Amino acid sequence: MTTTGGNPIADNQNSKTSGPRGPLALEDYQLIEKLAHQNRERIPERTVHAKGSGAYGKLTITNDITQYTKAAIFSQVGKETECLLRFSTVAGERGAADAERDVRGWALKFYTEEGNWDMVGNNTPVFFVRDPLKFPDFIHTQKRHPKTNMRSATAMWDFWSLSPESLHQVTILMSDRGLPKSYRHTNGYGSHTYSFINAKNERFWVKFHFKTRQGIETMTNQEGEQVIAKDRESSQKDLFENIEKGNFPQWDFKIQVMTEDQAEACPFNPFDLTKVWPHGDYPLIDVGVLELNRNPENYFQEIEQSAFSPSNIVPGISFSPDKMLQARIFSYADAHRYRLGTWYEALPVNQPKSAVNHYHLDGAMNFLEPKSSDAYYEPNSMGGASDDERFAEPPLKHTGPLDRYDHREGNDDYTQPGNLFRLMNDDQKQQLCDNIAEAMQGVPQEIIERQLVHFDRADAAYGAGVRESLKRLAGDDVNNISVQEEPLPDPATA
Ligand code: NDP
């Protein structure tokens, strides 16, 4: 045993004192180092997705999609690429219970030979907001009230009822799938629209889907409560133990593809994060199989310090005009610089397996090996790395003057949530309506009324079902719940 300076330690049981009763000697560096280090054991937790679990695995390509992308990870059938997947809940802090109704984060890092490709998604194909200007406001409604220090159902429903674009994701969150049995029983979605670029430098728009081979399994609120009463780490336990005993979870990796011409003609904005691309119009295309097969050796080093960012793309995979994606390209890397430090990508779990050549210098905790001493600026004639125009992307056409455009104007926020409601069976519809009614307890009537109108607009039966559930929960005290007997007409058909 040694100090962190590498000096041998003779006694790790007794502090150095003046006589057996004390006091302590300031020179007992060994003690001081221990206490000082303990004070620094915690790093800032993630503002969102603080509670997580992760494991390593591989992506195996089973189908040729090289007509769409030149990315090396897809270059041939049978190719395997190592990856790390971190699952999470969104709103709870690091000590939160796993079995809570919440969106599950699905953050993937593929260690490709062309650098890291991070796909930082969720277990839902859409999101609550479509304009990043609303993201911090939305997250504040999911976190603790500044005065009571408690979560606030009023804040959540107030924000959602004033933001109709949230209805699609609210419907998923409140549905059976809003409380997964474990991470293994969830699908993963890239959610945003990304782009593929092929060897001919042609661009395609793409969505990423990971379909669980374990099957979708969910819990009711009551089942979730029973799990939490006994085990706050139920998803961590499930993932860790299944991998430990060799029961490796797998997902089918699929994509949807849209040409640039199709995007121009698409009746909705294909870069809107609150919308899916209907499978009937944009069928799923097989790509490969994702498998998780190795637990991390040290949770803090490999999962807490893992850092995923949509800015990590590789040749053949790129961004889209999706405003939420554009904001995340900045904010994720920025969050890691704050949380982990300037050199967060040099940490072993985040380090690419391919060569890294850039001209950033110095900064706290720079522990990378020194590069060639003379080529420390660019351009140089000292043999340093330089840019390569072969990696340039085809130009992307943008239209329209710079302005703040009303993202709600003319946007249909109701058809897709209605489609989701209509594909649910009776039991799922009942669960959805009951979960919503339960989540609305204690919320002012005015806010409930405003939200009911959104359900009505998605599907009259949706609004009626939530009213029924609210009435049932209110018991005899039906006067507490105003019941709008005539749903408002659908704006699309009115
Ligand atoms: P499809 O019938 O082809 O697809 C329905 C999709 O809904 C399937 O992917 C299914 O996932 C998923 N699903 C079923 N129940 C739920 C639920 N409670 N929460 C979330 N997803 C669920 O229809 P469309 O493609 O035309 O889409 C209809 C609606 O389905 C959409 O408006 C959207 O709400 C939802 N959806 C669509 C997706 C898409 O990419 N097109 C993706 C996910 C949901 P699974 O196959 O795993 O059962």
Side-chain angles (χ1 to χ4, degrees), residues 125 168 171-172 175-177 187 189 207 209 211 216 256 276-280 284 415-417 419-421 423-424 428:
H168 200 175
T171 303
I172 296 175
S175 78
D176 52 343
R177 293 198 189 186
N187 290 339
Y189 301 92
K207 289 228 188 240
H209 302 249
K211 296 269 195 178
I216 296 282
Q256 287 177 291
V276 296
W277 296 357
H279 294 130
L284 291 169
T415 301
Q416 292 202 355
N419 290 344
L420 177 58
F421 176 79
L423 67 78
M424 292 181 188
Q428 289 171 313

PDB file of all heavy atoms in Angstrom, residues 125 168 171-172 175-177 187 189 207 209 211 216 256 276-280 284 415-417 419-421 423-424 428, ligand 1:
ATOM      1  N   PRO A 125     -39.677   7.723 -29.186  1.00  0.00           N
ATOM      2  CA  PRO A 125     -39.244   8.257 -30.487  1.00  0.00           C
ATOM      3  C   PRO A 125     -39.423   9.769 -30.617  1.00  0.00           C
ATOM      4  O   PRO A 125     -39.016  10.340 -31.615  1.00  0.00           O
ATOM      5  CB  PRO A 125     -40.162   7.526 -31.471  1.00  0.00           C
ATOM      6  CG  PRO A 125     -41.407   7.246 -30.699  1.00  0.00           C
ATOM      7  CD  PRO A 125     -40.990   7.045 -29.264  1.00  0.00           C
ATOM      8  N   HIS A 168     -47.785  14.371 -27.499  1.00  0.00           N
ATOM      9  CA  HIS A 168     -47.350  13.064 -28.008  1.00  0.00           C
ATOM     10  C   HIS A 168     -46.498  12.345 -26.954  1.00  0.00           C
ATOM     11  O   HIS A 168     -46.755  11.192 -26.598  1.00  0.00           O
ATOM     12  CB  HIS A 168     -46.547  13.282 -29.306  1.00  0.00           C
ATOM     13  CG  HIS A 168     -46.454  12.070 -30.172  1.00  0.00           C
ATOM     14  ND1 HIS A 168     -45.867  12.089 -31.402  1.00  0.00           N
ATOM     15  CD2 HIS A 168     -46.870  10.791 -29.989  1.00  0.00           C
ATOM     16  CE1 HIS A 168     -45.928  10.876 -31.937  1.00  0.00           C
ATOM     17  NE2 HIS A 168     -46.525  10.072 -31.101  1.00  0.00           N
ATOM     18  N   THR A 171     -48.367  11.387 -23.816  1.00  0.00           N
ATOM     19  CA  THR A 171     -49.175  10.177 -24.025  1.00  0.00           C
ATOM     20  C   THR A 171     -48.312   8.930 -23.861  1.00  0.00           C
ATOM     21  O   THR A 171     -48.734   7.946 -23.250  1.00  0.00           O
ATOM     22  CB  THR A 171     -49.843  10.227 -25.416  1.00  0.00           C
ATOM     23  OG1 THR A 171     -50.622  11.426 -25.506  1.00  0.00           O
ATOM     24  CG2 THR A 171     -50.733   9.021 -25.653  1.00  0.00           C
ATOM     25  N   ILE A 172     -47.089   8.972 -24.381  1.00  0.00           N
ATOM     26  CA  ILE A 172     -46.192   7.809 -24.214  1.00  0.00           C
ATOM     27  C   ILE A 172     -45.801   7.657 -22.746  1.00  0.00           C
ATOM     28  O   ILE A 172     -45.844   6.562 -22.183  1.00  0.00           O
ATOM     29  CB  ILE A 172     -44.936   7.961 -25.099  1.00  0.00           C
ATOM     30  CG1 ILE A 172     -45.325   7.971 -26.584  1.00  0.00           C
ATOM     31  CG2 ILE A 172     -43.940   6.828 -24.821  1.00  0.00           C
ATOM     32  CD1 ILE A 172     -44.174   8.227 -27.550  1.00  0.00           C
ATOM     33  N   SER A 175     -48.537   6.215 -20.768  1.00  0.00           N
ATOM     34  CA  SER A 175     -49.007   4.899 -21.232  1.00  0.00           C
ATOM     35  C   SER A 175     -48.280   3.798 -20.464  1.00  0.00           C
ATOM     36  O   SER A 175     -47.392   4.065 -19.638  1.00  0.00           O
ATOM     37  CB  SER A 175     -48.746   4.748 -22.734  1.00  0.00           C
ATOM     38  OG  SER A 175     -47.383   4.438 -22.963  1.00  0.00           O
ATOM     39  N   ASP A 176     -48.636   2.555 -20.758  1.00  0.00           N
ATOM     40  CA  ASP A 176     -47.972   1.422 -20.098  1.00  0.00           C
ATOM     41  C   ASP A 176     -46.455   1.504 -20.261  1.00  0.00           C
ATOM     42  O   ASP A 176     -45.693   1.156 -19.362  1.00  0.00           O
ATOM     43  CB  ASP A 176     -48.519   0.083 -20.627  1.00  0.00           C
ATOM     44  CG  ASP A 176     -48.500  -0.017 -22.143  1.00  0.00           C
ATOM     45  OD1 ASP A 176     -48.367   1.028 -22.826  1.00  0.00           O
ATOM     46  OD2 ASP A 176     -48.614  -1.155 -22.664  1.00  0.00           O
ATOM     47  N   ARG A 177     -45.992   2.009 -21.419  1.00  0.00           N
ATOM     48  CA  ARG A 177     -44.534   2.036 -21.663  1.00  0.00           C
ATOM     49  C   ARG A 177     -43.797   3.100 -20.870  1.00  0.00           C
ATOM     50  O   ARG A 177     -42.568   3.159 -20.890  1.00  0.00           O
ATOM     51  CB  ARG A 177     -44.264   2.242 -23.159  1.00  0.00           C
ATOM     52  CG  ARG A 177     -44.725   1.039 -23.955  1.00  0.00           C
ATOM     53  CD  ARG A 177     -44.120   0.970 -25.313  1.00  0.00           C
ATOM     54  NE  ARG A 177     -44.794  -0.080 -26.055  1.00  0.00           N
ATOM     55  CZ  ARG A 177     -44.434  -0.484 -27.251  1.00  0.00           C
ATOM     56  NH1 ARG A 177     -43.428   0.075 -27.872  1.00  0.00           N
ATOM     57  NH2 ARG A 177     -45.102  -1.440 -27.856  1.00  0.00           N
ATOM     58  N   ASN A 187     -37.398  -0.340 -25.899  1.00  0.00           N
ATOM     59  CA  ASN A 187     -36.815  -0.015 -27.206  1.00  0.00           C
ATOM     60  C   ASN A 187     -35.964   1.236 -27.042  1.00  0.00           C
ATOM     61  O   ASN A 187     -36.182   2.037 -26.135  1.00  0.00           O
ATOM     62  CB  ASN A 187     -37.905   0.317 -28.226  1.00  0.00           C
ATOM     63  CG  ASN A 187     -38.726  -0.894 -28.642  1.00  0.00           C
ATOM     64  OD1 ASN A 187     -38.292  -2.033 -28.503  1.00  0.00           O
ATOM     65  ND2 ASN A 187     -39.912  -0.639 -29.167  1.00  0.00           N
ATOM     66  N   TYR A 189     -34.487   4.730 -29.207  1.00  0.00           N
ATOM     67  CA  TYR A 189     -34.696   5.539 -30.421  1.00  0.00           C
ATOM     68  C   TYR A 189     -33.685   6.681 -30.459  1.00  0.00           C
ATOM     69  O   TYR A 189     -33.457   7.327 -29.427  1.00  0.00           O
ATOM     70  CB  TYR A 189     -36.106   6.150 -30.429  1.00  0.00           C
ATOM     71  CG  TYR A 189     -37.223   5.126 -30.363  1.00  0.00           C
ATOM     72  CD1 TYR A 189     -37.755   4.734 -29.141  1.00  0.00           C
ATOM     73  CD2 TYR A 189     -37.735   4.556 -31.523  1.00  0.00           C
ATOM     74  CE1 TYR A 189     -38.773   3.787 -29.066  1.00  0.00           C
ATOM     75  CE2 TYR A 189     -38.750   3.614 -31.459  1.00  0.00           C
ATOM     76  CZ  TYR A 189     -39.265   3.235 -30.232  1.00  0.00           C
ATOM     77  OH  TYR A 189     -40.259   2.304 -30.165  1.00  0.00           O
ATOM     78  N   LYS A 207     -33.627   7.980 -39.332  1.00  0.00           N
ATOM     79  CA  LYS A 207     -34.014   7.811 -37.917  1.00  0.00           C
ATOM     80  C   LYS A 207     -33.519   6.448 -37.456  1.00  0.00           C
ATOM     81  O   LYS A 207     -33.574   5.478 -38.221  1.00  0.00           O
ATOM     82  CB  LYS A 207     -35.540   7.879 -37.768  1.00  0.00           C
ATOM     83  CG  LYS A 207     -36.089   9.282 -37.994  1.00  0.00           C
ATOM     84  CD  LYS A 207     -37.053   9.640 -36.873  1.00  0.00           C
ATOM     85  CE  LYS A 207     -37.760  10.944 -37.150  1.00  0.00           C
ATOM     86  NZ  LYS A 207     -37.472  11.912 -36.073  1.00  0.00           N
ATOM     87  N   HIS A 209     -33.627   3.184 -34.752  1.00  0.00           N
ATOM     88  CA  HIS A 209     -34.517   2.426 -33.847  1.00  0.00           C
ATOM     89  C   HIS A 209     -33.781   1.190 -33.339  1.00  0.00           C
ATOM     90  O   HIS A 209     -33.123   0.495 -34.123  1.00  0.00           O
ATOM     91  CB  HIS A 209     -35.772   1.926 -34.590  1.00  0.00           C
ATOM     92  CG  HIS A 209     -36.599   3.004 -35.216  1.00  0.00           C
ATOM     93  ND1 HIS A 209     -37.848   3.346 -34.752  1.00  0.00           N
ATOM     94  CD2 HIS A 209     -36.376   3.805 -36.290  1.00  0.00           C
ATOM     95  CE1 HIS A 209     -38.347   4.320 -35.495  1.00  0.00           C
ATOM     96  NE2 HIS A 209     -37.468   4.619 -36.445  1.00  0.00           N
ATOM     97  N   LYS A 211     -34.960  -2.219 -31.394  1.00  0.00           N
ATOM     98  CA  LYS A 211     -36.148  -2.936 -30.898  1.00  0.00           C
ATOM     99  C   LYS A 211     -35.712  -4.065 -29.981  1.00  0.00           C
ATOM    100  O   LYS A 211     -34.916  -4.933 -30.383  1.00  0.00           O
ATOM    101  CB  LYS A 211     -36.911  -3.535 -32.088  1.00  0.00           C
ATOM    102  CG  LYS A 211     -37.470  -2.480 -33.030  1.00  0.00           C
ATOM    103  CD  LYS A 211     -38.864  -2.125 -32.585  1.00  0.00           C
ATOM    104  CE  LYS A 211     -39.589  -1.372 -33.685  1.00  0.00           C
ATOM    105  NZ  LYS A 211     -40.954  -1.063 -33.272  1.00  0.00           N
ATOM    106  N   ILE A 216     -41.254  -5.999 -24.978  1.00  0.00           N
ATOM    107  CA  ILE A 216     -41.639  -4.859 -24.139  1.00  0.00           C
ATOM    108  C   ILE A 216     -42.338  -5.413 -22.897  1.00  0.00           C
ATOM    109  O   ILE A 216     -43.284  -6.186 -23.020  1.00  0.00           O
ATOM    110  CB  ILE A 216     -42.621  -3.925 -24.896  1.00  0.00           C
ATOM    111  CG1 ILE A 216     -41.953  -3.291 -26.115  1.00  0.00           C
ATOM    112  CG2 ILE A 216     -43.229  -2.886 -23.959  1.00  0.00           C
ATOM    113  CD1 ILE A 216     -41.026  -2.133 -25.809  1.00  0.00           C
ATOM    114  N   GLN A 256     -35.002   4.161 -40.461  1.00  0.00           N
ATOM    115  CA  GLN A 256     -35.941   4.665 -41.462  1.00  0.00           C
ATOM    116  C   GLN A 256     -35.176   5.690 -42.288  1.00  0.00           C
ATOM    117  O   GLN A 256     -34.361   6.445 -41.731  1.00  0.00           O
ATOM    118  CB  GLN A 256     -37.120   5.362 -40.797  1.00  0.00           C
ATOM    119  CG  GLN A 256     -38.106   4.429 -40.114  1.00  0.00           C
ATOM    120  CD  GLN A 256     -39.196   5.227 -39.416  1.00  0.00           C
ATOM    121  OE1 GLN A 256     -38.937   5.892 -38.428  1.00  0.00           O
ATOM    122  NE2 GLN A 256     -40.413   5.174 -39.933  1.00  0.00           N
ATOM    123  N   VAL A 276     -43.133  11.414 -35.213  1.00  0.00           N
ATOM    124  CA  VAL A 276     -42.473  10.223 -35.757  1.00  0.00           C
ATOM    125  C   VAL A 276     -42.672  10.220 -37.268  1.00  0.00           C
ATOM    126  O   VAL A 276     -43.493  10.950 -37.795  1.00  0.00           O
ATOM    127  CB  VAL A 276     -43.062   8.912 -35.183  1.00  0.00           C
ATOM    128  CG1 VAL A 276     -42.814   8.811 -33.690  1.00  0.00           C
ATOM    129  CG2 VAL A 276     -44.551   8.770 -35.513  1.00  0.00           C
ATOM    130  N   TRP A 277     -41.898   9.383 -37.939  1.00  0.00           N
ATOM    131  CA  TRP A 277     -42.159   9.111 -39.353  1.00  0.00           C
ATOM    132  C   TRP A 277     -42.994   7.831 -39.393  1.00  0.00           C
ATOM    133  O   TRP A 277     -42.505   6.759 -38.954  1.00  0.00           O
ATOM    134  CB  TRP A 277     -40.857   8.856 -40.123  1.00  0.00           C
ATOM    135  CG  TRP A 277     -39.914  10.017 -40.200  1.00  0.00           C
ATOM    136  CD1 TRP A 277     -40.091  11.282 -39.719  1.00  0.00           C
ATOM    137  CD2 TRP A 277     -38.621  10.001 -40.804  1.00  0.00           C
ATOM    138  NE1 TRP A 277     -38.989  12.053 -39.984  1.00  0.00           N
ATOM    139  CE2 TRP A 277     -38.065  11.286 -40.656  1.00  0.00           C
ATOM    140  CE3 TRP A 277     -37.864   9.021 -41.461  1.00  0.00           C
ATOM    141  CZ2 TRP A 277     -36.800  11.626 -41.136  1.00  0.00           C
ATOM    142  CZ3 TRP A 277     -36.610   9.351 -41.937  1.00  0.00           C
ATOM    143  CH2 TRP A 277     -36.088  10.640 -41.781  1.00  0.00           C
ATOM    144  N   PRO A 278     -44.228   7.891 -39.890  1.00  0.00           N
ATOM    145  CA  PRO A 278     -45.060   6.677 -39.885  1.00  0.00           C
ATOM    146  C   PRO A 278     -44.358   5.513 -40.600  1.00  0.00           C
ATOM    147  O   PRO A 278     -43.765   5.697 -41.667  1.00  0.00           O
ATOM    148  CB  PRO A 278     -46.319   7.115 -40.640  1.00  0.00           C
ATOM    149  CG  PRO A 278     -46.352   8.603 -40.493  1.00  0.00           C
ATOM    150  CD  PRO A 278     -44.923   9.055 -40.435  1.00  0.00           C
ATOM    151  N   HIS A 279     -44.429   4.334 -39.980  1.00  0.00           N
ATOM    152  CA  HIS A 279     -43.766   3.168 -40.572  1.00  0.00           C
ATOM    153  C   HIS A 279     -44.317   2.823 -41.942  1.00  0.00           C
ATOM    154  O   HIS A 279     -43.590   2.328 -42.806  1.00  0.00           O
ATOM    155  CB  HIS A 279     -43.933   1.951 -39.656  1.00  0.00           C
ATOM    156  CG  HIS A 279     -43.225   2.085 -38.349  1.00  0.00           C
ATOM    157  ND1 HIS A 279     -43.821   1.853 -37.123  1.00  0.00           N
ATOM    158  CD2 HIS A 279     -41.955   2.441 -38.070  1.00  0.00           C
ATOM    159  CE1 HIS A 279     -42.944   2.055 -36.163  1.00  0.00           C
ATOM    160  NE2 HIS A 279     -41.819   2.426 -36.696  1.00  0.00           N
ATOM    161  N   GLY A 280     -45.630   3.079 -42.136  1.00  0.00           N
ATOM    162  CA  GLY A 280     -46.248   2.760 -43.428  1.00  0.00           C
ATOM    163  C   GLY A 280     -45.588   3.536 -44.566  1.00  0.00           C
ATOM    164  O   GLY A 280     -45.443   3.022 -45.681  1.00  0.00           O
ATOM    165  N   LEU A 284     -39.248   0.331 -41.735  1.00  0.00           N
ATOM    166  CA  LEU A 284     -38.014   0.024 -41.007  1.00  0.00           C
ATOM    167  C   LEU A 284     -37.120  -0.858 -41.875  1.00  0.00           C
ATOM    168  O   LEU A 284     -37.588  -1.804 -42.510  1.00  0.00           O
ATOM    169  CB  LEU A 284     -38.341  -0.697 -39.694  1.00  0.00           C
ATOM    170  CG  LEU A 284     -39.045   0.153 -38.624  1.00  0.00           C
ATOM    171  CD1 LEU A 284     -39.552  -0.725 -37.489  1.00  0.00           C
ATOM    172  CD2 LEU A 284     -38.101   1.227 -38.085  1.00  0.00           C
ATOM    173  N   THR A 415     -52.748  14.763 -34.382  1.00  0.00           N
ATOM    174  CA  THR A 415     -52.981  13.542 -35.164  1.00  0.00           C
ATOM    175  C   THR A 415     -52.110  12.388 -34.668  1.00  0.00           C
ATOM    176  O   THR A 415     -52.612  11.281 -34.448  1.00  0.00           O
ATOM    177  CB  THR A 415     -52.717  13.811 -36.663  1.00  0.00           C
ATOM    178  OG1 THR A 415     -53.597  14.857 -37.073  1.00  0.00           O
ATOM    179  CG2 THR A 415     -52.975  12.566 -37.502  1.00  0.00           C
ATOM    180  N   GLN A 416     -50.820  12.621 -34.487  1.00  0.00           N
ATOM    181  CA  GLN A 416     -49.944  11.503 -34.100  1.00  0.00           C
ATOM    182  C   GLN A 416     -50.233  10.985 -32.685  1.00  0.00           C
ATOM    183  O   GLN A 416     -50.303   9.768 -32.494  1.00  0.00           O
ATOM    184  CB  GLN A 416     -48.471  11.885 -34.286  1.00  0.00           C
ATOM    185  CG  GLN A 416     -48.103  12.048 -35.764  1.00  0.00           C
ATOM    186  CD  GLN A 416     -46.617  11.901 -36.047  1.00  0.00           C
ATOM    187  OE1 GLN A 416     -45.800  11.762 -35.145  1.00  0.00           O
ATOM    188  NE2 GLN A 416     -46.265  11.923 -37.323  1.00  0.00           N
ATOM    189  N   PRO A 417     -50.445  11.861 -31.678  1.00  0.00           N
ATOM    190  CA  PRO A 417     -50.865  11.312 -30.381  1.00  0.00           C
ATOM    191  C   PRO A 417     -52.180  10.544 -30.499  1.00  0.00           C
ATOM    192  O   PRO A 417     -52.364   9.507 -29.851  1.00  0.00           O
ATOM    193  CB  PRO A 417     -51.036  12.547 -29.494  1.00  0.00           C
ATOM    194  CG  PRO A 417     -50.246  13.612 -30.150  1.00  0.00           C
ATOM    195  CD  PRO A 417     -50.212  13.319 -31.616  1.00  0.00           C
ATOM    196  N   ASN A 419     -53.188   8.901 -33.156  1.00  0.00           N
ATOM    197  CA  ASN A 419     -52.854   7.602 -33.771  1.00  0.00           C
ATOM    198  C   ASN A 419     -52.327   6.632 -32.725  1.00  0.00           C
ATOM    199  O   ASN A 419     -52.655   5.444 -32.746  1.00  0.00           O
ATOM    200  CB  ASN A 419     -51.789   7.780 -34.863  1.00  0.00           C
ATOM    201  CG  ASN A 419     -52.334   8.494 -36.085  1.00  0.00           C
ATOM    202  OD1 ASN A 419     -53.548   8.590 -36.247  1.00  0.00           O
ATOM    203  ND2 ASN A 419     -51.443   8.998 -36.928  1.00  0.00           N
ATOM    204  N   LEU A 420     -51.503   7.154 -31.829  1.00  0.00           N
ATOM    205  CA  LEU A 420     -50.954   6.290 -30.771  1.00  0.00           C
ATOM    206  C   LEU A 420     -52.085   5.791 -29.864  1.00  0.00           C
ATOM    207  O   LEU A 420     -52.158   4.596 -29.554  1.00  0.00           O
ATOM    208  CB  LEU A 420     -49.911   7.064 -29.948  1.00  0.00           C
ATOM    209  CG  LEU A 420     -49.299   6.321 -28.760  1.00  0.00           C
ATOM    210  CD1 LEU A 420     -48.629   5.029 -29.198  1.00  0.00           C
ATOM    211  CD2 LEU A 420     -48.292   7.208 -28.029  1.00  0.00           C
ATOM    212  N   PHE A 421     -52.966   6.695 -29.470  1.00  0.00           N
ATOM    213  CA  PHE A 421     -54.102   6.289 -28.617  1.00  0.00           C
ATOM    214  C   PHE A 421     -54.922   5.214 -29.322  1.00  0.00           C
ATOM    215  O   PHE A 421     -55.286   4.200 -28.715  1.00  0.00           O
ATOM    216  CB  PHE A 421     -54.973   7.513 -28.307  1.00  0.00           C
ATOM    217  CG  PHE A 421     -56.206   7.189 -27.512  1.00  0.00           C
ATOM    218  CD1 PHE A 421     -56.114   6.998 -26.135  1.00  0.00           C
ATOM    219  CD2 PHE A 421     -57.446   7.062 -28.124  1.00  0.00           C
ATOM    220  CE1 PHE A 421     -57.258   6.680 -25.390  1.00  0.00           C
ATOM    221  CE2 PHE A 421     -58.582   6.749 -27.387  1.00  0.00           C
ATOM    222  CZ  PHE A 421     -58.486   6.562 -26.015  1.00  0.00           C
ATOM    223  N   LEU A 423     -54.053   3.013 -31.504  1.00  0.00           N
ATOM    224  CA  LEU A 423     -53.463   1.678 -31.682  1.00  0.00           C
ATOM    225  C   LEU A 423     -53.372   0.904 -30.367  1.00  0.00           C
ATOM    226  O   LEU A 423     -53.038  -0.278 -30.349  1.00  0.00           O
ATOM    227  CB  LEU A 423     -52.107   1.739 -32.400  1.00  0.00           C
ATOM    228  CG  LEU A 423     -50.873   2.383 -31.769  1.00  0.00           C
ATOM    229  CD1 LEU A 423     -50.222   1.488 -30.736  1.00  0.00           C
ATOM    230  CD2 LEU A 423     -49.869   2.718 -32.858  1.00  0.00           C
ATOM    231  N   MET A 424     -53.685   1.582 -29.255  1.00  0.00           N
ATOM    232  CA  MET A 424     -53.638   0.879 -27.962  1.00  0.00           C
ATOM    233  C   MET A 424     -54.866  -0.024 -27.810  1.00  0.00           C
ATOM    234  O   MET A 424     -55.956   0.326 -28.271  1.00  0.00           O
ATOM    235  CB  MET A 424     -53.638   1.899 -26.811  1.00  0.00           C
ATOM    236  CG  MET A 424     -52.368   2.709 -26.729  1.00  0.00           C
ATOM    237  SD  MET A 424     -52.454   3.857 -25.330  1.00  0.00           S
ATOM    238  CE  MET A 424     -50.985   4.823 -25.639  1.00  0.00           C
ATOM    239  N   GLN A 428     -54.610  -1.018 -22.437  1.00  0.00           N
ATOM    240  CA  GLN A 428     -53.605   0.060 -22.497  1.00  0.00           C
ATOM    241  C   GLN A 428     -54.273   1.431 -22.393  1.00  0.00           C
ATOM    242  O   GLN A 428     -53.746   2.341 -21.738  1.00  0.00           O
ATOM    243  CB  GLN A 428     -52.798  -0.040 -23.797  1.00  0.00           C
ATOM    244  CG  GLN A 428     -51.839  -1.223 -23.819  1.00  0.00           C
ATOM    245  CD  GLN A 428     -51.221  -1.430 -25.184  1.00  0.00           C
ATOM    246  OE1 GLN A 428     -51.917  -1.427 -26.207  1.00  0.00           O
ATOM    247  NE2 GLN A 428     -49.915  -1.631 -25.214  1.00  0.00           N
TER     248      GLN A 428
HETATM  249  P1  NDP B   1     -47.290   1.442 -36.519  1.00  0.00           P
HETATM  250  O1  NDP B   1     -48.506   0.678 -36.134  1.00  0.00           O
HETATM  251  O2  NDP B   1     -46.523   1.017 -37.712  1.00  0.00           O
HETATM  252  O3  NDP B   1     -46.279   1.497 -35.301  1.00  0.00           O
HETATM  253  C1  NDP B   1     -46.740   1.682 -34.002  1.00  0.00           C
HETATM  254  C2  NDP B   1     -45.555   1.871 -33.121  1.00  0.00           C
HETATM  255  O4  NDP B   1     -46.020   2.215 -31.839  1.00  0.00           O
HETATM  256  C3  NDP B   1     -44.684   0.652 -32.944  1.00  0.00           C
HETATM  257  O5  NDP B   1     -43.351   1.074 -33.154  1.00  0.00           O
HETATM  258  C4  NDP B   1     -44.887   0.242 -31.495  1.00  0.00           C
HETATM  259  O6  NDP B   1     -43.697  -0.256 -30.957  1.00  0.00           O
HETATM  260  C5  NDP B   1     -45.226   1.556 -30.875  1.00  0.00           C
HETATM  261  N1  NDP B   1     -46.042   1.541 -29.666  1.00  0.00           N
HETATM  262  C6  NDP B   1     -47.062   0.758 -29.317  1.00  0.00           C
HETATM  263  N2  NDP B   1     -47.544   1.101 -28.111  1.00  0.00           N
HETATM  264  C7  NDP B   1     -46.811   2.147 -27.702  1.00  0.00           C
HETATM  265  C8  NDP B   1     -46.799   2.956 -26.543  1.00  0.00           C
HETATM  266  N3  NDP B   1     -47.662   2.777 -25.554  1.00  0.00           N
HETATM  267  N4  NDP B   1     -45.881   3.941 -26.455  1.00  0.00           N
HETATM  268  C9  NDP B   1     -44.996   4.146 -27.446  1.00  0.00           C
HETATM  269  N5  NDP B   1     -44.960   3.415 -28.572  1.00  0.00           N
HETATM  270  C10 NDP B   1     -45.852   2.438 -28.684  1.00  0.00           C
HETATM  271  O7  NDP B   1     -47.787   2.939 -36.632  1.00  0.00           O
HETATM  272  P2  NDP B   1     -47.138   4.298 -37.165  1.00  0.00           P
HETATM  273  O8  NDP B   1     -45.729   4.200 -37.593  1.00  0.00           O
HETATM  274  O9  NDP B   1     -48.079   4.850 -38.156  1.00  0.00           O
HETATM  275  O10 NDP B   1     -47.212   5.172 -35.857  1.00  0.00           O
HETATM  276  C11 NDP B   1     -48.437   5.289 -35.122  1.00  0.00           C
HETATM  277  C12 NDP B   1     -48.093   5.835 -33.769  1.00  0.00           C
HETATM  278  O11 NDP B   1     -47.229   4.897 -33.133  1.00  0.00           O
HETATM  279  C13 NDP B   1     -47.309   7.128 -33.840  1.00  0.00           C
HETATM  280  O12 NDP B   1     -48.142   8.258 -33.892  1.00  0.00           O
HETATM  281  C14 NDP B   1     -46.476   7.072 -32.603  1.00  0.00           C
HETATM  282  O13 NDP B   1     -47.180   7.620 -31.520  1.00  0.00           O
HETATM  283  C15 NDP B   1     -46.295   5.574 -32.333  1.00  0.00           C
HETATM  284  N6  NDP B   1     -44.917   5.155 -32.646  1.00  0.00           N
HETATM  285  C16 NDP B   1     -44.448   5.274 -33.930  1.00  0.00           C
HETATM  286  C17 NDP B   1     -43.129   5.028 -34.200  1.00  0.00           C
HETATM  287  C18 NDP B   1     -42.565   5.295 -35.538  1.00  0.00           C
HETATM  288  O14 NDP B   1     -41.342   5.452 -35.634  1.00  0.00           O
HETATM  289  N7  NDP B   1     -43.365   5.325 -36.597  1.00  0.00           N
HETATM  290  C19 NDP B   1     -42.208   4.554 -33.148  1.00  0.00           C
HETATM  291  C20 NDP B   1     -42.842   4.359 -31.857  1.00  0.00           C
HETATM  292  C21 NDP B   1     -44.151   4.702 -31.641  1.00  0.00           C
HETATM  293  P3  NDP B   1     -43.358  -1.843 -31.012  1.00  0.00           P
HETATM  294  O15 NDP B   1     -43.214  -2.179 -32.459  1.00  0.00           O
HETATM  295  O16 NDP B   1     -42.088  -1.978 -30.255  1.00  0.00           O
HETATM  296  O17 NDP B   1     -44.507  -2.534 -30.338  1.00  0.00           O
END
